[in-house]
């Protein structure tokens, strides 16, 4: 069965044997050499069994891979059986992995049994032909099957079509292998292929060769062509295709010999004349005029075969047929093809010129056409720098020699013209003779005078080397131009462009440049570009020519900028901006001075020296008429090139004067939004930021004076600030770079080599603008560092820092730490010993803004920080503003309420008609109380910062027994409110001190005792001591307190001590409640359990000691909660709610104990000991005491349902905060209740005694006057609208309306309010709500610290009797600040509205949609302020808050 092979085969056999025979435990049998065929046959049969499709696919594939090597090595007789076993592996329905294994096995089978396949060859070819598999698999099978193309039987007929199909879409990586196979098939079996398949096969191979980019592919194709020509016959219909391919490949240097050899073999065959005809048809085909390589190869083959050095002698070809084809190909206008034609003509003239007769006309025509082409492309380097002119002159010289010998039989005049074109090769005598002849015909009166002129210049100027002759030619040509430029300008310029401006001699170049500048100044044709290019080409020739050329270009630009065509000034402009770095200083100065005069107006027209051009626009096509732009009515001046030139100057300019000129020009550009459109603003931002941060701005120039460096860096910062208005065109990274640059520039760590005060102030202004223009996330992580930098220069830049801290949006991105840093910085400015009253007032306003803008949960902590600084000022009476400010800060720390100047006098007025009224003054606070009908009470509190108004109805039960009140020496402090507020929000805060403050919470007539244990720290009772013995003692009200607070009705006499149960203490304060009779008498009630033990612990505010009555010791910290013993029963939430709502009297207390739940955890109190005393108790008849009504006359029965509570409810009378704590109201409402609690504290800031005011008309009048004083800062700002073309005050004041964007601005800057609806608390700045002389509406704005009324001129009517607009001037003329919205193109004059006021004018110029130009004009007596110090561009989003901010600052500084 098997034929034993060599030793390698034995190794393969052994490996196969080890695979087939394995023991059950997977141990191989020992391998022994097996030499007998019977055993080998058994092995193969076993292998065939393993190859069957009954085996698992994975094991089968693995075995196929192993068996493939065996099949290659051993010869097997049962090939058909073996294939039948595995043929299903190559089926199309198999996975690709299976098929790949099957094809590899098929290749191994063919490779190992090439002579034993028999009919299987057809089967395998069918697989190659019909199965859909990767072509490289099938190619390998076909290669093995045909023995590399040597044996194609028995599939000769279908093989050609298979190869053709494969060549159409074969993968490039295997294409070379396919072509090699086709080459062998063509070499050994070309005749056996079907004749019908050969043309398409050749066609596909030619396509591959023509499109191939691989040298190997092209070489293989040429080898195949050579084989076809040598060993076979080319079908006639394929001859043209094959020759075309050879014409292309002959242009490849390495394949030129092989291509010519193949072509020569074709021409030597019976296809010789047909091949020449095919080459001529290629040249005559107009479709091939752009296929340079094809035409060049055809010209080469024709000339070489017809009269070249490799001329085919057996082939006779008429030169006329070839020359006509060469003449036709000249139309392609390709200098490469024309050069090859010129070489072919040169070969013909040199070798067979004397034999030519009728062919001369064609030859001269060809040379003449080539001459015309050369003359038209004198500026083409490929022609000028090549040997093209040399060959041309060689041809003409050869023809001239034939003329001398009378061997020329063509047109001699044409030859003379050609000789004239080669004058430089002629002697001087001939030149003079030709000059005499040609000068006579260089006038328009002669035919073809322009041609004569061109020839004249070409001969006697272009080709002449003698300077005198050239200068004479320029002078004579200039005379001709000046005489005939109006008629023949374009024609003459076209000629001049070919010769002038390229001279190497300095004297000659200068004369030609002067001539070209003169031509260009008056030239409006398309020839101008060529003239400008020639002038520009002389810039680098010499310093003198550089100055002349650039100056000449400037003069041309100025002459062209206002005239058509627009393309000419644009082209000159692009050339000029490239030479801002030219070497000549005077030239640079002149150039930059001229370029800076270029601007853009609001209609996007380019302006030069302030005059708008008609045909040039800025590069923002959105506002151009598309139709006009398409027709060429407008041109776009590339301002980005000028912008890039400026940036280059900033990096490379060495002259300080020009450097400052450039940086000022950039700043001027940034102030013109229309000019900056579509420029790379981000590049400028990154460049300037980097230069300032690295202190390399102006490093290319030498600056010795410090003030010059300061000015330079100030301008750099001004550029940075101006860039802020272009935020939409800056990336986030570039915005961060700007903020970083401004922030670090104000740090004292940057030791600037000059006085940096003004420089740093500009940086602060820039940071303010950054908050308005940039998103919050850009600078959220830098605010803290910025505030730190500001603190370093706080004493030298107070006003700018305060302006920054008060700027809009500065606080929007601040974190808690940032707010804390800002508050600490602002507190520095509150010291009136170091800073003026004005600065202190601004700092207080800023404090309120920062506190009100932070998170509500953080305000308490910030308020404590402020209190530590302001309380000593209040105590020492150093600053009255501090006392007012702390009141306002407390208001916003405890809640966000609407600030009003006066109480609401209209609400529920009918309840208090003729009601008794009392007024008390406590420090700077006036408290008014009225007792109205049906138990309603009105309380009005007038504070320096606002007024509060409360109306309430007393619902408490009045006890007939004497009252017991806690002992206290001072009202509760502001600090205690914050202790309570913060502890309610953070009930288990640790690390808190146990400072105690005096306090009192009782506003009802029911018995309730608060024991302020001032002398003994809080301590829980020892284990085993009864609770009632461990209760803190209770002191009665001292006579000093009664004398101190005479206006309080319930401290009129000494009350008896009630019976109190145990009162659990909390924060150093004890809270007691009376014992219920039912509770003490019931046997079911647990002993020693007072009602208060079932309630949650309450906070305390006791002072640290009785010897410290001052309210300003220190800001108190928090105290820990004291939790009762966990063994004592506690009421559940449900039971507490039953107590809160008041259950039925029949409900025993032990029923409520069923709801008792244990308390988890026990906190050890912080005190060391406790002094116990017997707790006073409430009399046993306490429950029977009937409450009385508010008037104290009518008694209420004990059985009254209104008295349904089983015991008096102290929880209802502690305080709003205590009640809220028991009802478990969510913590987010706690500060608002604390605010309410604050209003009832008479004076929390000092120990001032209350004073009862005497009622009377005088007091009422004083209160009315007080109520008219606003509780916020008030400002009145004028607003004017300036229409297009308006300049005078009467024109401006007469406006009754404005543009749409103006009205949109008004709608954003304030709220439109009808004057008839104005309330008392609203500030209207003198506008009369009753008289229509001031209009029907006013524009107002209000925030937490300001009220602003805008005196809008367009909202005020034009009165017929008021032609001078006196009524409008009465308001606007007396305003310190006026906002001017100007749609006029001219700048607003500061003196338009005259008067003693109008100190500051804020002028707004609307630009394109979304942008505005802002300018602040002020009188000299107004101090400098920010952030707008010069003309700035701002976005629409930042405009309104910025205008308000500037207006308020300016109004304050103008006072």
């Amino acid at each position: 069965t098997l034929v034993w092979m060599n030793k390698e085969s034995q190794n393969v056999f052994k490996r196969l044997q080890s695979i087939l025979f394995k023991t059950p435990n997977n141990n191989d049998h020992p391998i022994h050499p097996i030499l007998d065929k019977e055993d080998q046959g058994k092995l193969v049969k076993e292998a065939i069994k393993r190859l069957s499709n009954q085996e698992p696919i994975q094991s089968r594939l693995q075995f196929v891979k192993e068996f493939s090597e065996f099949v290659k090595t051993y010869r097997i007789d049962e090939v058909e059986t073996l294939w039948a076993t595995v043929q299903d592996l190559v089926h199309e329905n198999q996975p690709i992995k299976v098929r790949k294994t099957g094809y590899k096995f098929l290749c191994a089978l063919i490779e190992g049994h090439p002579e034993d396949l028999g009919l299987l060859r057809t089967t395998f070819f069918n697989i190659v032909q019909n199965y859909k598999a990767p072509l490289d698999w099938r190619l390998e099978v076909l290669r093995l099957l045909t023995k590399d193309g040597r044996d194609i039987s028995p599939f000769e007929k279908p093989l050609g079509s298979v190869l053709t199909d494969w060549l159409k879409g074969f993968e490039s990586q295997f294409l070379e292998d396919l072509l090699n196979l086709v080459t062998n098939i063509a070499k050994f079996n070309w005749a056996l292929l079907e004749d019908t398949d050969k043309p398409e096969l050749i066609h596909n191979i030619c396509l591959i060769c023509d499109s191939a980019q691989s040298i190997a592919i092209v070489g293989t194709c040429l080898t195949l062509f050579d084989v076809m020509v040598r060993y076979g016959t080319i079908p006639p219909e394929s001859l043209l295709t094959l020759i075309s391919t050879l014409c292309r490949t002959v242009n490849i240097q390495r394949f030129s010999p092989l291509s010519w050899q193949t072509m020569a073999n074709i021409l030597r065959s019976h296809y010789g004349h047909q091949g020449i005809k095919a080459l001529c048809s290629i040249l005559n085909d107009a479709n091939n005029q752009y296929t340079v390589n094809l035409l060049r190869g055809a010209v080469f083959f024709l000339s070489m075969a017809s009269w070249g050095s490799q001329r085919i002698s057996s082939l006779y070809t008429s030169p006329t047929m070839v020359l006509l084809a060469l003449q036709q190909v000249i139309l392609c206008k390709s200098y490469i093809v024309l050069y090859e034609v010129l070489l072919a003509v040169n070969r013909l003239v040199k070798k067979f010129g004397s034999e030519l007769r009728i062919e001369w006309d064609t030859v001269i025509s060809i040379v003449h056409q080539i001459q015309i082409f050369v003359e038209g492309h004198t500026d083409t380097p490929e022609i000028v720098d090549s040997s093209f002119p040399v060959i041309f002159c060689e041809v003409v010289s050869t023809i001239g020699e034939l003329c001398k010998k009378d061997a020329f039989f063509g047109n001699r005049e044409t030859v003379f013209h050609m000789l004239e074109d080669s004058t430089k090769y002629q002697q001087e005598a001939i030149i003079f003779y030709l000059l005499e002849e040609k000068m006579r015909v260089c006038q328009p009166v002669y035919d073809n005078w322009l041609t004569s002129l061109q020839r004249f210049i070409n001969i006697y100027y272009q080709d002449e080397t003698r300077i005198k002759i050239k200068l004479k030619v320029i002078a004579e040509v200039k005379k001709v131009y000046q005489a005939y430029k109006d008629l023949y300008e374009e024609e003459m310029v076209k000629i001049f462009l070919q010769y002038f401006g390229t001279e190497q001699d300095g004297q000659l170049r200068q004369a030609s440049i002067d001539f070209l500048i003169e031509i260009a100044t008056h030239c409006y044709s398309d020839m101008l570009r060529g003239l400008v290019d020639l002038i520009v080409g002389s810039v680098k020739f010499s310093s003198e020519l550089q100055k002349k050329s650039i100056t000449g270009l400037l003069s041309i630009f100025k002459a062209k900028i206002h005239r058509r065509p627009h393309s000419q000034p644009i082209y000159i402009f692009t050339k000029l901006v490239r030479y801002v770095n030219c070497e000549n200083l005077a030239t640079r100065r002149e150039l930059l001075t001229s370029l800076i005069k270029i601007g853009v107006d609001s209609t996007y027209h380019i302006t030069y020296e302030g005059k708008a051009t008609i045909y040039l626009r800025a590069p923002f096509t959105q506002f151009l008429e598309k139709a006009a732009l398409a027709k060429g009515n407008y041109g776009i001046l590339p301002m980005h090139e000028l912008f890039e030139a400026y940036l280059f100057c900033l990096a490379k300019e060495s002259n300080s004067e020009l450097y400052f000129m450039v940086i000022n020009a950039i700043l001027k550009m940034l102030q013109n939004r229309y000019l900056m459109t579509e420029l790379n603003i981000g590049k400028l931002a990154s460049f300037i930021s980097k230069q300032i941060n690295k202190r390399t701005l102006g490093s290319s120039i030498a600056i010795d004076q410090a003030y010059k460096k300061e000015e330079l860096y100030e301008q750099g910062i001004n550029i940075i600030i101006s860039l802020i208005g272009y935020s939409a065109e800056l990336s986030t990274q570039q915005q961060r770079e700007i903020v970083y640059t401004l922030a670090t520039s104000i740090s004292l760590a940057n030791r600037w080599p000059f006085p940096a005060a003004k420089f740093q102030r500009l940086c602060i202004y820039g940071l303010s603008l950054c908050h308005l223009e940039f998103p919050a996330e850009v600078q959220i992580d830098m605010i803290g560092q910025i505030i730190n930098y500001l603190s370093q220069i706080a004493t030298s830049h107070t006003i700018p820092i305060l302006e920054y801290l008060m700027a809009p949006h500065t606080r929007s991105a601040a974190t808690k730490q940032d707010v804390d840093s800002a508050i600490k910085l602002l507190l520095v400015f509150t010291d009136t010993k170091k800073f003026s009253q004005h600065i202190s007032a601004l700092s207080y306003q800023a404090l309120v803004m920062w506190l009100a803008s932070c998170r509500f949960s953080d305000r308490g902590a910030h308020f404590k920080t402020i209190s530590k600084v302001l309380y000593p000022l209040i105590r020492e009476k150093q600053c009255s503003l501090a006392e007012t400010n702390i009141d306002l800060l407390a208001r916003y720390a405890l809640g966000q309420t609407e600030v009003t100047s006066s109480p609401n006098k209209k609400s529920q007025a009918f309840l208090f008609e003729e009601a008794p009224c009392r007024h008390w003054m406590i420090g700077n606070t006036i408290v008014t109380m009225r007792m109205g009908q049906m138990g309603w009470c009105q309380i009005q509190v007038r504070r320096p910062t606002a007024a509060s108004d409360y109306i309430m109805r007393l619902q408490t039960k009045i006890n007939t027994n004497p009252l017991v009140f806690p002992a206290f020496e001072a009202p509760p402090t502001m600090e205690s409110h914050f202790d309570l507020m913060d502890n309610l929000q953070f009930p288990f805060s640790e690390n808190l001190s146990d400072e105690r403050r005096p306090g009192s919470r009782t506003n009802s007539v029911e018995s309730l005792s608060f024991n302020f244990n001032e002398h003994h720290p809080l301590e829980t009772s020892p284990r085993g001591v009864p609770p009632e013995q461990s209760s803190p003692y209770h002191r009665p009200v001292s006579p000093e307190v009664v004398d101190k607070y005479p206006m309080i009705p319930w401290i009129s006499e000494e009350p008896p001590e009630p019976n109190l149960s145990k009162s659990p203490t909390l924060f150093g304060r004890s809270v007691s409640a009376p014992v219920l009779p039912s509770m003490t008498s019931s046997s079911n009630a647990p002993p020693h359990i007072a009602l208060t033990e079932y309630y949650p612990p309450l906070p305390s505010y006791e002072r640290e000691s009785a010897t410290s009555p001052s309210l300003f010791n220190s800001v108190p910290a928090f105290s820990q909660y004291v939790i009762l013993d966990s063994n004592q029963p506690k009421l559940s939430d449900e039971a507490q709610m039953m107590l809160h709502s008041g259950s039925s009297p029949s409900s025993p207390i032990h029923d409520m104990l069923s709801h008792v739940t244990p308390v988890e955890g026990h906190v050890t109190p912080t005190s060391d000991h406790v002094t116990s005393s017997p707790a006073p108790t409430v009399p046993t008849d306490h429950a029977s005491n009937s409450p009385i009504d508010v008037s104290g006359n009518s008694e209420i029965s004990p059985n009254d349902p209104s008295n349904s509570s089983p015991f008096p409810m102290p929880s209802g009378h502690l305080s709003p905060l205590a009640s809220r704590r028991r009802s478990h109201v969510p913590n987010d409402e706690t500060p608002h209740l604390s605010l309410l609690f604050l209003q009832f504290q008479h004076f929390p800031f000092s120990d001032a005694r209350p004073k009862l005011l005497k009622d009377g008309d005088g007091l009422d009048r004083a209160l009315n006057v007080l109520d008219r004083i606003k509780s916020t800062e008030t400002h009145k700002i004028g607003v004017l609208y300036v229409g297009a073309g308006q300049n005078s005050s009467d024109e401006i004041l007469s406006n009754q309306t404005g543009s749409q964007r103006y009205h949109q601005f008004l709608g954003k800057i304030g709220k439109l309010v009808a004057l008839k609806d104005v309330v008392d608390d609203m500030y209207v700045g003198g506008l009369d709500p009753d008289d229509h002389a001031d209009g029907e509406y006013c524009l107002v704005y209000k925030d937490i610290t300001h009220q602003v009324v805008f005196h809008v001129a367009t909202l005020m009517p034009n009165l017929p009797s008021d032609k001078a607009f006196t009524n409008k001037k009465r308001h606007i003329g007396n305003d310190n600040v006026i906002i001017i919205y100007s749609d006029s193109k001219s700048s607003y004059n500061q003196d338009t509205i005259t008067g003693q006021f109008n100190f500051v004018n804020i002028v707004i110029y609307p630009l394109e949609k979304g942008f505005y130009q802002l300018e602040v004009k002020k009188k000299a007596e107004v101090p400098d302020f920010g952030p707008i110090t010069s003309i700035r561009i701002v976005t629409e989003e930042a405009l309104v808050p910025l205008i308000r901010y500037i207006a308020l600052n300016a109004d304050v500084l103008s006072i």
Side-chain angles (χ1 to χ4, degrees), residues 953-1113:
R953 186 175 184 181
L954 297 179
Q955 298 293 328
T956 56
K957 303 174 182 61
I958 301 177
N959 199 332
T960 57
N961 288 335
L963 302 178
V964 178
F965 294 95
F968 60 96
E969 295 184 359
T973 64
M974 179 66 68
E975 294 94 325
S976 63
H977 297 312
F978 280 101
D979 279 341
L980 179 56
M981 180 186 72
D982 291 335
N983 279 283
L984 287 174
Q985 292 178 349
F986 308 99
F988 295 99
S989 301
E990 296 183 358
N991 301 322
L992 303 173
S993 64
D994 190 24
E995 296 181 39
R996 293 166 294 170
R997 295 285 183 180
S1000 173
R1001 289 296 183 270
T1002 175
N1003 57 356
S1004 72
V1005 294
E1006 186 157 16
S1007 175
L1008 178 64
S1009 172
F1010 292 80
N1011 184 11
F1012 292 83
N1013 188 4
E1014 300 178 359
H1015 303 283
H1016 302 279
L1018 179 63
E1019 186 179 42
T1020 57
S1021 58
R1023 188 178 301 272
V1025 179
E1028 62 273 11
Q1029 296 181 11
S1030 62
S1031 299
Y1033 68 92
H1034 176 75
R1035 296 191 310 166
V1037 179
S1038 62
E1040 294 80 3
V1041 175
V1042 176
D1043 179 64
K1044 192 174 183 180
Y1045 298 95
M1047 79 299 180
I1048 304 179
W1050 35 265
I1051 312 187
S1052 57
E1053 58 181 342
E1054 186 78 18
E1057 294 184 354
N1059 182 21
L1060 298 177
S1061 65
K1062 174 187 175 181
S1063 300
T1065 59
L1066 198 49
F1067 290 89
R1069 182 186 69 180
S1070 67
V1071 181
S1072 303
V1075 180
L1076 295 177
S1078 59
M1079 185 172 165
T1080 56
S1081 61
S1082 174
S1083 60
N1084 296 326
H1088 309 297
I1089 295 180
L1091 180 61
T1092 52
E1093 295 177 315
Y1094 296 99
Y1095 281 88
L1098 297 176
S1100 174
Y1101 305 95
E1102 288 189 347
R1103 289 188 318 213
E1104 185 174 0
S1105 65
T1107 59
S1108 300
S1110 174
L1111 297 172
F1112 306 99
N1113 295 332

Side-chain angles (χ1 to χ4, degrees), residues 627-680:
L629 186 62
K631 293 178 181 179
N633 294 340
Y634 301 118
I636 306 300
L637 195 68
M639 296 300 296
H640 66 277
E641 296 189 12
L642 178 60
F643 186 71
E644 294 290 338
Y646 285 161
L647 292 182
F648 181 84
C649 290
L650 290 182
K652 301 296 183 181
E653 180 57 56
S654 58
N655 183 267
S656 59
E657 177 190 355
L658 299 186
Y659 194 94
F660 276 94
M661 185 185 297
V662 170
I663 203 168
N664 290 329
I666 293 176
L667 188 58
K668 183 180 178 181
M669 288 180 70
L670 289 171
Q671 293 173 353
N672 189 338
R673 170 65 192 177
Y674 304 101
L675 191 149
M676 295 301 295
T677 306
E678 296 188 3
L679 298 185
N680 192 351

Side-chain angles (χ1 to χ4, degrees), residues 57-311:
I57 186 64
Q58 293 299 330
S59 60
R60 187 184 182 197
L61 292 178
Q62 184 64 32
F63 185 73
V64 167
K65 293 178 183 178
E66 297 288 343
F67 195 62
S68 296
E69 294 295 326
F70 182 79
V71 169
K72 285 183 185 180
T73 308
Y74 289 90
R75 183 177 179 184
I76 304 174
D77 293 337
E78 295 86 350
V79 175
E80 295 181 358
T81 305
L82 187 60
W83 173 246
T85 306
V86 299
Q87 64 178 352
D88 62 308
L89 297 179
V90 297
H91 286 176
E92 297 178 359
N93 57 355
Q94 294 287 358
I96 187 67
K97 181 179 179 181
V98 176
R99 296 173 65 197
K100 185 175 182 180
T101 304
Y103 272 91
K104 286 185 178 181
F105 183 80
L106 176 58
C107 292
L109 186 63
I110 297 173
E111 185 178 357
H113 305 78
E115 306 298 334
D116 302 331
L117 298 179
L119 296 177
L120 285 178
R121 287 175 60 82
T122 304
T123 303
F124 293 162
F125 182 77
N126 290 335
I127 293 176
V128 171
Q129 182 181 12
N130 300 323
Y131 279 30
K132 294 181 179 179
L135 289 178
D136 55 321
W137 299 359
R138 293 191 281 168
L139 176 62
E140 180 64 16
V141 174
L142 183 61
R143 185 186 65 80
L144 295 174
L145 196 61
T146 60
K147 299 178 182 178
D148 284 337
R150 290 174 172 81
D151 183 8
I152 62 173
S153 62
F155 34 81
E156 300 90 346
K157 292 185 178 183
L159 181 59
S161 62
V162 170
L163 295 176
T164 301
D165 293 339
W166 286 8
L167 287 171
K168 291 180 180 178
F170 207 79
E171 297 181 8
S172 58
Q173 55 181 336
F174 306 108
L175 186 58
E176 186 177 357
D177 297 335
L178 176 60
L179 291 173
N180 288 328
L181 177 61
V182 175
T183 301
N184 287 339
I185 293 174
K187 185 175 183 179
F188 297 103
N189 301 283
W190 182 255
L192 298 179
L193 297 177
E194 289 291 324
D195 291 338
T196 57
D197 296 333
K198 292 178 182 178
E200 189 174 0
L201 182 64
I202 294 174
H203 177 74
N204 290 339
I205 296 173
C206 289
L207 289 178
I208 292 174
C209 185
D210 293 344
S211 61
Q213 297 181 356
S214 170
I215 293 295
I217 297 297
V218 175
T220 305
C221 291
L222 288 175
T223 303
L224 176 57
F225 295 150
D226 184 60
V227 168
M228 290 179 179
V229 173
R230 288 174 181 271
Y231 296 93
T233 302
I234 304 297
E237 59 269 29
S238 301
L239 184 63
L240 180 60
T241 303
L242 179 58
I243 289 176
S244 298
T245 301
L246 293 174
C247 289
R248 288 181 170 91
T249 57
V250 75
N251 292 277
I252 304 174
Q253 186 176 359
R254 66 165 62 189
F255 297 128
S256 293
L258 182 58
S259 300
W260 165 247
Q261 179 183 350
T262 305
M263 189 67 206
N265 289 334
I266 294 175
L267 295 177
R268 291 188 183 100
S269 67
H270 61 284
Y271 284 134
H273 290 284
Q274 191 173 351
I276 293 295
K277 185 178 179 180
L279 289 171
C280 291
S281 67
I282 291 173
L283 297 180
N284 293 326
D285 190 353
N287 296 325
N288 297 330
Q289 62 176 338
Y290 300 111
T291 313
V292 176
N293 57 349
L294 176 63
L295 298 178
R296 181 172 183 256
V299 172
F300 171 77
F301 284 147
L302 275 175
S303 64
M304 188 59 67
S306 300
W307 55 71
S309 60
Q310 300 293 326
R311 180 185 180 192

Side-chain angles (χ1 to χ4, degrees), residues 566-596:
H566 55 72
S567 59
Q568 292 185 352
I570 293 175
Y571 188 74
I572 299 172
F573 175 80
T574 59
K575 299 297 183 182
L576 284 173
V577 295
R578 300 177 184 176
Y579 295 105
V580 294
N581 62 329
C582 61
E583 298 177 359
N584 190 285
L585 177 61
T587 305
R588 291 205 313 272
R589 181 184 291 107
E590 182 178 2
L591 178 58
L592 285 172
T593 303
S594 300
L595 292 177
I596 289 172

Side-chain angles (χ1 to χ4, degrees), residues 349-516:
V349 172
K350 279 187 175 181
K351 194 171 184 179
F352 301 101
S354 59
E355 301 177 8
L356 300 176
R357 294 294 182 269
I358 62 173
E359 295 87 358
W360 274 116
D361 291 338
T362 308
V363 171
I364 295 301
S365 176
I366 291 174
V367 176
H368 182 61
Q369 292 184 49
I370 293 176
Q371 179 189 8
I372 295 174
F373 175 80
V374 173
E375 291 173 354
H377 295 79
T378 54
D379 56 347
T380 304
E382 291 82 357
I383 296 177
V384 177
D385 300 338
S386 66
S387 57
F388 204 118
V390 177
I391 301 300
F392 177 80
C393 292
E394 187 177 343
V395 172
V396 175
S397 298
T398 303
I399 297 175
E401 292 294 331
L402 292 174
C403 290
K404 290 181 181 180
K405 297 176 182 179
D406 293 332
F408 177 72
F409 299 96
N411 189 345
R412 290 177 178 266
E413 188 68 25
T414 306
V415 176
F416 292 154
H417 287 303
M418 295 180 186
L419 288 173
E420 290 173 354
D421 295 335
S422 57
T423 305
K424 63 181 179 181
Y425 300 104
Q426 308 302 325
Q427 295 183 1
E428 187 174 339
I430 298 177
I431 296 174
F432 290 150
Y433 172 76
L434 291 176
L435 267 176
E436 295 174 0
E437 291 294 326
K438 296 302 176 182
M439 283 293 293
R440 183 171 49 86
V441 297
C442 293
Q443 301 293 331
V445 295
Y446 291 94
D447 294 337
N448 300 323
W449 72 276
L450 288 172
T451 305
S452 301
L453 179 63
Q454 182 176 2
R455 289 176 179 174
F456 176 80
I457 298 174
N458 186 58
I459 294 171
Y460 303 108
Y461 187 85
Q462 179 69 23
D463 299 333
E464 185 56 58
T465 59
R466 286 158 286 191
I467 302 301
K468 291 183 179 180
I469 297 177
K470 286 182 177 252
L471 292 175
K472 180 65 176 176
V473 170
I474 292 176
E476 293 298 325
V477 170
K478 185 182 294 186
K479 293 178 182 178
V480 174
Y481 171 77
Q482 291 174 348
Y484 303 106
K485 64 181 179 180
D486 295 335
L487 298 176
Y488 302 101
E489 180 187 50
E490 185 173 355
E491 292 83 352
M492 288 189 291
V493 171
K494 185 176 181 180
I495 296 173
F496 299 156
L497 288 175
Q498 303 178 32
Y499 305 104
F500 298 121
T502 59
E503 301 82 2
Q504 296 300 317
D505 181 77
Q507 183 182 2
L508 195 61
R509 175 72 72 91
Q510 188 169 348
S512 65
I513 291 300
D514 286 338
F515 181 39
L516 292 177

